[in-house]
Amino acid sequence: MDTYINNLEWRYATKKFDSTKKISSEDLEKLLKSIQLSASSYGMQPYEVLIIKDPEVRKKLQPEAFNQSQITEASHLIVFANLTSISEEHVDAYLDNISKIREIQVEKLNGFKDMLANTVLQQSKEEQSAWAEKQTYIALGNLLSAAANYKIDVCPMEGFDAGKFDEILGLKEKGLSTAVIAAIGYRSEEDVAQHAKKVRKQKEELFQHI
Ligand SMILES: Cc1cc2nc3c(=O)[nH]c(=O)nc-3n(C[C@H](O)[C@H](O)[C@H](O)COP(=O)(O)O)c2cc1C
């Protein structure tokens, strides 16, 4: 089998990290690049990503995540926080960024602006938040694959109280909310989960070729 698939077989949702092993800044940059390069609907990237190394902050977060050990024992904790609503300012900031990077006048993007105004900006705040939250999972998926490529372990996690996380991290006042988190680092030799066989649907059950 090719390396990419082998690496996906190698990865697993790590239950116990080796807290003595830290991700180097070079490797961390590569993982963050995989998040930065993630695709998103309209390219808007309606989220921010927090990289938490601070042990004190993680100690505060742990009880709000069912005391899961990964929160404090992993090398870093990544928090994907989605925008809870999308405003005209967000759209304008995005268009300005396109204009700057592609060196085109922002007026040339008026058609695209109208499209965003007629779709994303028409949604209720709840719909915008749900849409933004979905985008974070694409970034999470990229992180999982990239980390496997570099033989770095990850535990993707939904087992936490988003409201409490938002409070501790001061996200609400920034118009953000915790969507999903990922503990990243290196597996402990003692983690029995690494020896468990992968449980996945059979191809016939999963795929429909039409
Ligand atoms: C969005 C998401 C949330 C998850 N939440 C948790 C979690 O809170 N704690 C945990 O130990 N594992 C969590 N997992 C890990 C899954 O249980 C695991 O990915 C799944 O059982 C497949 O196993 P594998 O990733 O080891 O191949 C989560 C996975 C995903 C994708």
Side-chain angles (χ1 to χ4, degrees), residues 41-55:
S41 184
Y42 300 113
M44 274 195 75
Q45 294 174 285
Y47 48 77
E48 289 185 22
V49 182
L50 284 70
I51 300 98
I52 310 181
K53 211 174 159 188
D54 189 330

Side-chain angles (χ1 to χ4, degrees), residues 11-13 15 68 70 137 155-159 198 200:
R11 69 146 295 280
Y12 73 108
K15 305 295 173 199
Q68 296 188 80
Q70 298 97 317
Y137 282 76
C155 188
M157 302 167 89
E158 272 179 338
K198 285 229 171 293
R200 293 295 191 268

Side-chain angles (χ1 to χ4, degrees), residues 81-172:
N82 62 281
L83 290 176
T84 50
S85 65
I86 313 290
S87 66
E88 211 175 322
E89 286 72 42
H90 289 126
V91 168
D92 286 341
Y94 175 43
L95 297 175
D96 283 345
N97 200 27
I98 301 176
S99 152
K100 202 171 79 197
I101 291 175
R102 295 196 171 152
E103 298 179 27
I104 48 173
Q105 287 172 328
V106 77
E107 292 74 28
K108 292 250 159 65
L109 300 167
N110 278 344
F112 187 39
K113 184 177 179 159
D114 288 345
M115 191 166 85
L116 294 172
N118 290 323
T119 51
V120 182
L121 292 182
Q122 292 302 315
Q123 293 179 327
S124 67
K125 283 200 188 329
E126 290 72 27
E127 286 170 330
Q128 289 173 339
S129 185
W131 170 76
E133 194 174 348
K134 283 194 273 184
Q135 310 311 314
T136 66
Y137 282 76
I138 301 170
L140 172 73
N142 270 1
L143 171 66
L144 290 173
S145 306
N149 178 58
Y150 297 117
K151 292 280 162 71
I152 295 168
D153 287 297
V154 183
C155 188
M157 302 167 89
E158 272 179 338
F160 60 87
D161 182 326
K164 292 277 168 41
F165 264 54
D166 295 350
E167 215 175 286
I168 294 166
L169 300 171
L171 294 178
K172 201 174 169 191

